[in-house]
PDB file of all heavy atoms in Angstrom:
ATOM      1  N   ARG A  25      83.541  82.488  65.109  1.00 95.00           N
ATOM      2  CA  ARG A  25      84.211  81.794  66.216  1.00 95.00           C
ATOM      3  C   ARG A  25      84.498  82.738  67.387  1.00 95.00           C
ATOM      4  O   ARG A  25      84.386  82.343  68.552  1.00 95.00           O
ATOM      5  CB  ARG A  25      85.509  81.174  65.688  1.00 95.00           C
ATOM      6  CG  ARG A  25      86.199  80.311  66.691  1.00 95.00           C
ATOM      7  CD  ARG A  25      87.379  79.606  66.075  1.00 95.00           C
ATOM      8  NE  ARG A  25      88.020  78.804  67.095  1.00 95.00           N
ATOM      9  CZ  ARG A  25      89.237  78.350  67.002  1.00 95.00           C
ATOM     10  NH1 ARG A  25      89.941  78.581  65.939  1.00 95.00           N
ATOM     11  NH2 ARG A  25      89.741  77.637  67.968  1.00 95.00           N
ATOM     12  N   GLU A  26      84.875  83.967  67.086  1.00 95.00           N
ATOM     13  CA  GLU A  26      85.183  84.927  68.149  1.00 95.00           C
ATOM     14  C   GLU A  26      83.944  85.214  69.002  1.00 95.00           C
ATOM     15  O   GLU A  26      84.029  85.333  70.222  1.00 95.00           O
ATOM     16  CB  GLU A  26      85.735  86.233  67.560  1.00 95.00           C
ATOM     17  CG  GLU A  26      87.098  86.089  66.924  1.00 95.00           C
ATOM     18  CD  GLU A  26      87.060  85.470  65.520  1.00 95.00           C
ATOM     19  OE1 GLU A  26      86.030  85.591  64.827  1.00 95.00           O
ATOM     20  OE2 GLU A  26      88.048  84.843  65.136  1.00 95.00           O
ATOM     21  N   GLU A  27      82.799  85.367  68.346  1.00 96.00           N
ATOM     22  CA  GLU A  27      81.554  85.604  69.080  1.00 96.00           C
ATOM     23  C   GLU A  27      81.209  84.393  69.949  1.00 96.00           C
ATOM     24  O   GLU A  27      80.794  84.539  71.094  1.00 96.00           O
ATOM     25  CB  GLU A  27      80.407  85.896  68.114  1.00 96.00           C
ATOM     26  CG  GLU A  27      79.092  86.167  68.818  1.00 96.00           C
ATOM     27  CD  GLU A  27      77.949  86.403  67.848  1.00 96.00           C
ATOM     28  OE1 GLU A  27      78.179  86.975  66.770  1.00 96.00           O
ATOM     29  OE2 GLU A  27      76.823  86.001  68.182  1.00 96.00           O
ATOM     30  N   ALA A  28      81.401  83.205  69.401  1.00 95.00           N
ATOM     31  CA  ALA A  28      81.126  81.986  70.165  1.00 95.00           C
ATOM     32  C   ALA A  28      82.028  81.917  71.396  1.00 95.00           C
ATOM     33  O   ALA A  28      81.581  81.600  72.500  1.00 95.00           O
ATOM     34  CB  ALA A  28      81.319  80.756  69.288  1.00 95.00           C
ATOM     35  N   ARG A  29      83.314  82.234  71.231  1.00 96.00           N
ATOM     36  CA  ARG A  29      84.255  82.202  72.362  1.00 96.00           C
ATOM     37  C   ARG A  29      83.871  83.249  73.411  1.00 96.00           C
ATOM     38  O   ARG A  29      83.889  82.980  74.614  1.00 96.00           O
ATOM     39  CB  ARG A  29      85.685  82.440  71.893  1.00 96.00           C
ATOM     40  CG  ARG A  29      86.689  82.479  73.050  1.00 96.00           C
ATOM     41  CD  ARG A  29      88.124  82.497  72.602  1.00 96.00           C
ATOM     42  NE  ARG A  29      88.555  81.208  72.117  1.00 96.00           N
ATOM     43  CZ  ARG A  29      88.940  80.194  72.902  1.00 96.00           C
ATOM     44  NH1 ARG A  29      88.923  80.334  74.209  1.00 96.00           N
ATOM     45  NH2 ARG A  29      89.338  79.061  72.380  1.00 96.00           N
ATOM     46  N   LYS A  30      83.487  84.437  72.954  1.00 95.00           N
ATOM     47  CA  LYS A  30      83.099  85.512  73.878  1.00 95.00           C
ATOM     48  C   LYS A  30      81.891  85.097  74.716  1.00 95.00           C
ATOM     49  O   LYS A  30      81.863  85.287  75.936  1.00 95.00           O
ATOM     50  CB  LYS A  30      82.792  86.780  73.086  1.00 95.00           C
ATOM     51  CG  LYS A  30      82.496  87.988  73.923  1.00 95.00           C
ATOM     52  CD  LYS A  30      82.114  89.150  73.036  1.00 95.00           C
ATOM     53  CE  LYS A  30      82.888  90.379  73.386  1.00 95.00           C
ATOM     54  NZ  LYS A  30      82.502  91.523  72.572  1.00 95.00           N
ATOM     55  N   ARG A  31      80.906  84.491  74.071  1.00 94.00           N
ATOM     56  CA  ARG A  31      79.711  84.043  74.795  1.00 94.00           C
ATOM     57  C   ARG A  31      80.030  82.886  75.734  1.00 94.00           C
ATOM     58  O   ARG A  31      79.490  82.802  76.834  1.00 94.00           O
ATOM     59  CB  ARG A  31      78.617  83.676  73.811  1.00 94.00           C
ATOM     60  CG  ARG A  31      78.080  84.921  73.099  1.00 94.00           C
ATOM     61  CD  ARG A  31      77.083  84.628  72.009  1.00 94.00           C
ATOM     62  NE  ARG A  31      76.005  83.768  72.437  1.00 94.00           N
ATOM     63  CZ  ARG A  31      75.250  83.062  71.605  1.00 94.00           C
ATOM     64  NH1 ARG A  31      75.462  83.132  70.302  1.00 94.00           N
ATOM     65  NH2 ARG A  31      74.282  82.301  72.052  1.00 94.00           N
ATOM     66  N   ALA A  32      80.944  82.003  75.321  1.00 94.00           N
ATOM     67  CA  ALA A  32      81.360  80.897  76.182  1.00 94.00           C
ATOM     68  C   ALA A  32      82.113  81.428  77.401  1.00 94.00           C
ATOM     69  O   ALA A  32      81.953  80.905  78.517  1.00 94.00           O
ATOM     70  CB  ALA A  32      82.221  79.920  75.398  1.00 94.00           C
ATOM     71  N   GLU A  33      82.920  82.466  77.213  1.00 94.00           N
ATOM     72  CA  GLU A  33      83.636  83.076  78.334  1.00 94.00           C
ATOM     73  C   GLU A  33      82.665  83.660  79.351  1.00 94.00           C
ATOM     74  O   GLU A  33      82.923  83.623  80.558  1.00 94.00           O
ATOM     75  CB  GLU A  33      84.601  84.152  77.835  1.00 94.00           C
ATOM     76  CG  GLU A  33      85.831  83.588  77.174  1.00 94.00           C
ATOM     77  CD  GLU A  33      86.708  84.643  76.522  1.00 94.00           C
ATOM     78  OE1 GLU A  33      86.346  85.842  76.519  1.00 94.00           O
ATOM     79  OE2 GLU A  33      87.766  84.244  76.001  1.00 94.00           O
ATOM     80  N   GLN A  34      81.532  84.175  78.887  1.00 92.00           N
ATOM     81  CA  GLN A  34      80.509  84.671  79.813  1.00 92.00           C
ATOM     82  C   GLN A  34      79.983  83.529  80.673  1.00 92.00           C
ATOM     83  O   GLN A  34      79.752  83.708  81.870  1.00 92.00           O
ATOM     84  CB  GLN A  34      79.359  85.316  79.044  1.00 92.00           C
ATOM     85  CG  GLN A  34      79.714  86.636  78.407  1.00 92.00           C
ATOM     86  CD  GLN A  34      78.579  87.204  77.571  1.00 92.00           C
ATOM     87  OE1 GLN A  34      77.644  86.501  77.219  1.00 92.00           O
ATOM     88  NE2 GLN A  34      78.683  88.477  77.230  1.00 92.00           N
ATOM     89  N   ASP A  35      79.809  82.352  80.074  1.00 88.00           N
ATOM     90  CA  ASP A  35      79.367  81.187  80.847  1.00 88.00           C
ATOM     91  C   ASP A  35      80.385  80.821  81.923  1.00 88.00           C
ATOM     92  O   ASP A  35      80.020  80.514  83.058  1.00 88.00           O
ATOM     93  CB  ASP A  35      79.136  79.972  79.933  1.00 88.00           C
ATOM     94  CG  ASP A  35      77.931  80.139  79.032  1.00 88.00           C
ATOM     95  OD1 ASP A  35      77.078  80.998  79.316  1.00 88.00           O
ATOM     96  OD2 ASP A  35      77.832  79.376  78.052  1.00 88.00           O
ATOM     97  N   VAL A  36      81.666  80.868  81.576  1.00 92.00           N
ATOM     98  CA  VAL A  36      82.720  80.564  82.545  1.00 92.00           C
ATOM     99  C   VAL A  36      82.717  81.613  83.662  1.00 92.00           C
ATOM    100  O   VAL A  36      82.832  81.275  84.843  1.00 92.00           O
ATOM    101  CB  VAL A  36      84.103  80.511  81.853  1.00 92.00           C
ATOM    102  CG1 VAL A  36      85.221  80.407  82.886  1.00 92.00           C
ATOM    103  CG2 VAL A  36      84.169  79.334  80.884  1.00 92.00           C
ATOM    104  N   ASN A  37      82.558  82.876  83.301  1.00 92.00           N
ATOM    105  CA  ASN A  37      82.589  83.965  84.288  1.00 92.00           C
ATOM    106  C   ASN A  37      81.391  83.950  85.231  1.00 92.00           C
ATOM    107  O   ASN A  37      81.449  84.568  86.294  1.00 92.00           O
ATOM    108  CB  ASN A  37      82.675  85.314  83.584  1.00 92.00           C
ATOM    109  CG  ASN A  37      84.011  85.510  82.912  1.00 92.00           C
ATOM    110  OD1 ASN A  37      84.996  84.898  83.274  1.00 92.00           O
ATOM    111  ND2 ASN A  37      84.032  86.366  81.898  1.00 92.00           N
ATOM    112  N   GLU A  38      80.332  83.251  84.880  1.00 88.00           N
ATOM    113  CA  GLU A  38      79.145  83.188  85.739  1.00 88.00           C
ATOM    114  C   GLU A  38      79.313  82.207  86.891  1.00 88.00           C
ATOM    115  O   GLU A  38      78.404  82.009  87.675  1.00 88.00           O
ATOM    116  CB  GLU A  38      77.915  82.822  84.906  1.00 88.00           C
ATOM    117  CG  GLU A  38      77.479  83.939  83.990  1.00 88.00           C
ATOM    118  CD  GLU A  38      76.321  83.551  83.078  1.00 88.00           C
ATOM    119  OE1 GLU A  38      75.878  82.402  83.118  1.00 88.00           O
ATOM    120  OE2 GLU A  38      75.888  84.420  82.317  1.00 88.00           O
TER     121      GLU A  38
END
Side-chain angles (χ1 to χ4, degrees):
R25 187 174 179 198
E26 292 79 26
E27 181 182 326
R29 177 171 286 279
K30 185 184 230 182
R31 291 174 51 201
E33 286 173 357
Q34 289 176 344
D35 290 342
V36 171
N37 291 337
E38 289 176 358

